Amino acid sequence: MIYSADCLEDNFQHTQFHQKLLDSMKFVGWKKERVVAEFYDGKIILVLPDDPKYAVKKAEDVRRLADNELGFQQVSLSCPSQAKTYLFVNRDRMIVGCLIAEHIRRAFRVLAQPAQTKDMTREDFMEHHRAWCCSTLPEGAICGVSRVWVFSLARRNAIATRMLDTVRSTFTYGSPLTKEEIAFSDPTPEGKLFATKYCNTPTFLVYNFVS
Ligand code: COA
């Protein structure tokens, strides 16, 4: 949040904003946690739509945080009653990562873009990193990543990678998903960089975009 430390009202708003953020991220622990992965620096908890109210509310609070950061109203889930929310809880009992996965049937492949050239203007460069085009030919896919968010101070620690690995091994009971069966909902520039690395290709699958 941008604020002026000299302004009393700004300071008050900032404190409130900060407290709200901490409240949403704080994880007190639940009697029945569905822990689906454990690491040296945290664990991943799965929340399902039929879980107790306190768990579903926590998942919603964190989703709201992620949506706020994405900066616009996100596309709603195709079937909220089947969406699965994965939360990464760190050793300080803070939720620093959230991934919402949903069942999908088809997705579209991002089209490879020409490599960046030296004489590109700054505007071209920004556009290159913002825009993506995809094929109009649908392909089969099983799991859609509706949201993936990692707290800014916890990024580049493979939290998103581990959440997605966990999705792949737990999303469909008994049959791990391949990276080719995953698609990303309308990826942001950061999401695009992440997906490209995770899927080992810039031509990963996307869905749920405004065409
Ligand atoms: N710039 C360049 N490469 C990036 C990147 C970035 N901002 N974020 C991820 N990558 C690539 C890197 O190759 C990285 O490996 P490295 O750190 O060894 O170089 C690899 O992806 C794995 O990244 P990881 O650490 O698992 O990702 P993360 O935990 O930092 O989370 C996001 C990635 C996109 C979820 C996170 O940046 C985020 O929450 N952004 C804001 C919300 C958003 O845009 N979500 C995407 C919606 S589609």
Side-chain angles (χ1 to χ4, degrees), residues 69-70 148-150 154-161 184-188 190-191 193-194 197:
E69 188 166 336
L70 288 166
V148 54
W149 167 87
V150 172
R155 286 181 193 161
R156 305 302 287 270
N157 289 311
I159 290 179
T161 299
F184 293 82
S185 169
D186 206 354
T188 61
E190 272 176 346
L193 290 164
F194 167 71
K197 175 72 189 288

Side-chain angles (χ1 to χ4, degrees), residues 4 10-11 21 32 52 54 65 74 80 93 95 114-115 120 129-130 136 147 149 156 160 166 168 172 182 184 193 203:
S4 160
D10 261 25
N11 251 318
L21 182 84
K32 283 189 186 169
Y54 55 81
L65 257 188
Q74 290 294 295
R93 292 172 164 258
I95 297 171
M120 239 184 195
H129 281 76
R130 200 168 29 240
T136 50
R147 316 273 197 288
W149 167 87
R156 305 302 287 270
T166 306
R168 284 177 42 223
T172 315
I182 303 264
F184 293 82
L193 290 164
T203 61

Side-chain angles (χ1 to χ4, degrees), residues 29-33 54:
W30 303 325
K31 260 190 195 164
K32 283 189 186 169
E33 293 170 8
Y54 55 81

Side-chain angles (χ1 to χ4, degrees), residues 142-143 164-182:
I142 294 175
C143 173
L164 205 43
D165 284 346
T166 306
V167 169
R168 284 177 42 223
S169 58
T170 59
F171 190 76
T172 315
Y173 186 72
S175 70
L177 298 176
T178 66
K179 292 183 180 180
E180 288 71 41
E181 289 168 318
I182 303 264

Side-chain angles (χ1 to χ4, degrees), residues 9-209:
E9 175 60 23
D10 261 25
N11 251 318
F12 175 70
Q13 294 290 346
H14 175 245
T15 311
Q16 272 204 328
F17 177 87
H18 188 71
Q19 195 51 51
K20 216 171 149 197
L21 182 84
L22 288 184
D23 287 347
S24 300
M25 290 173 64
K26 206 184 310 170
F27 181 75
V28 288
W30 303 325
K31 260 190 195 164
K32 283 189 186 169
E33 293 170 8
R34 195 179 291 104
V35 179
V36 283
E38 282 193 276
F39 307 98
Y40 69 97
D41 58 346
K43 60 186 172 185
I44 296 176
I45 288 171
L46 170 60
V47 180
L48 299 177
D50 290 335
D51 279 354
K53 263 191 180 162
Y54 55 81
V56 173
K57 182 181 178 307
K58 190 53 143 182
E60 273 171 12
D61 285 352
V62 181
R63 179 187 52 76
R64 239 174 260 128
L65 257 188
D67 283 1
N68 275 345
E69 188 166 336
L70 288 166
F72 52 93
Q73 196 63 40
Q74 290 294 295
V75 184
S76 52
L77 294 154
S78 55
C79 190
S81 63
Q82 284 183 21
K84 301 182 177 185
T85 304
Y86 294 78
L87 301 174
F88 191 104
V89 182
N90 73 8
R91 289 272 171 226
D92 298 325
R93 292 172 164 258
M94 298 298 280
I95 297 171
V96 292
C98 170
L99 190 155
I100 304 179
E102 60 183 339
H103 284 278
I104 55 169
R105 283 160 191 246
R106 56 180 213 161
F108 303 84
R109 200 160 288 284
V110 169
L111 296 174
Q113 286 177 341
Q116 188 189 328
T117 55
K118 265 193 179 159
D119 56 356
M120 239 184 195
T121 63
R122 188 173 177 278
E123 286 69 32
D124 283 345
F125 180 80
M126 294 307 288
E127 191 53 32
H128 182 81
H129 281 76
R130 200 168 29 240
W132 48 264
C133 302
C134 68
S135 161
T136 50
L137 223 69
E139 293 185 32
I142 294 175
C143 173
V145 177
S146 165
R147 316 273 197 288
V148 54
W149 167 87
V150 172
F151 178 52
S152 56
L153 301 180
R155 286 181 193 161
R156 305 302 287 270
N157 289 311
I159 290 179
T161 299
R162 286 180 279 169
M163 287 196 295
L164 205 43
D165 284 346
T166 306
V167 169
R168 284 177 42 223
S169 58
T170 59
F171 190 76
T172 315
Y173 186 72
S175 70
L177 298 176
T178 66
K179 292 183 180 180
E180 288 71 41
E181 289 168 318
I182 303 264
F184 293 82
S185 169
D186 206 354
T188 61
E190 272 176 346
K192 194 177 132 198
L193 290 164
F194 167 71
T196 299
K197 175 72 189 288
Y198 188 82
C199 300
N200 303 316
T201 172
T203 61
F204 56 89
L205 293 172
V206 293
Y207 75 108
N208 237 0
F209 43 84

